[in-house]
Amino acid sequence: MHNRATLDLAIGLLLRELCEERHAMREQVASVLELTDLGVTRIENGEETLSAGGLILLLSLFQLTWEEFLMRLRAHLPDAESEILE
């Protein structure tokens, strides 16, 4: 089982990836998540956590199912873990 910091960073890495691949504007993502641009950046860097409500909004924004989200999140866990161990 991974620790919370690893999961938070993996979510951030996934958020960054989704924004890049879907060409989402940071302002749009921030608006949907009810955050500032800096808040989105802090989530991407694992410095701030995404709330449960924010996660639901994220899934809706990017039209992801929970299963798709978990599958993609698992792919980011090794990178997140190695980044934290540095």
Side-chain angles (χ1 to χ4, degrees):
M1 169 148 303
H2 296 280
N3 66 28
R4 183 176 174 162
T6 301
L7 291 168
D8 288 341
L9 182 53
I11 288 169
L13 295 172
L14 176 53
L15 173 57
R16 183 179 301 140
E17 177 183 79
L18 289 167
C19 289
E20 289 173 2
E21 79 183 29
R22 311 266 173 106
H23 306 288
M25 300 294 293
R26 181 171 306 282
E27 297 82 17
Q28 176 193 16
V29 174
S31 176
V32 168
L33 296 179
E34 300 174 13
L35 298 169
T36 63
D37 292 355
L38 179 59
V40 173
T41 299
R42 291 178 56 80
I43 290 171
E44 289 176 342
N45 294 331
E47 298 166 0
E48 191 171 308
T49 60
L50 187 63
S51 69
L55 179 57
I56 292 167
L57 292 170
L58 179 75
L59 294 175
S60 178
L61 174 65
F62 291 111
Q63 299 177 351
L64 290 174
T65 65
W66 178 245
E67 290 77 20
E68 291 169 323
F69 174 80
L70 286 178
M71 181 183 70
R72 293 182 71 157
L73 180 69
R74 285 185 193 107
H76 287 285
L77 287 171
D79 291 335
E81 196 165 274
S82 71
E83 233 180 274
I84 288 174
L85 293 176
E86 288 180 355

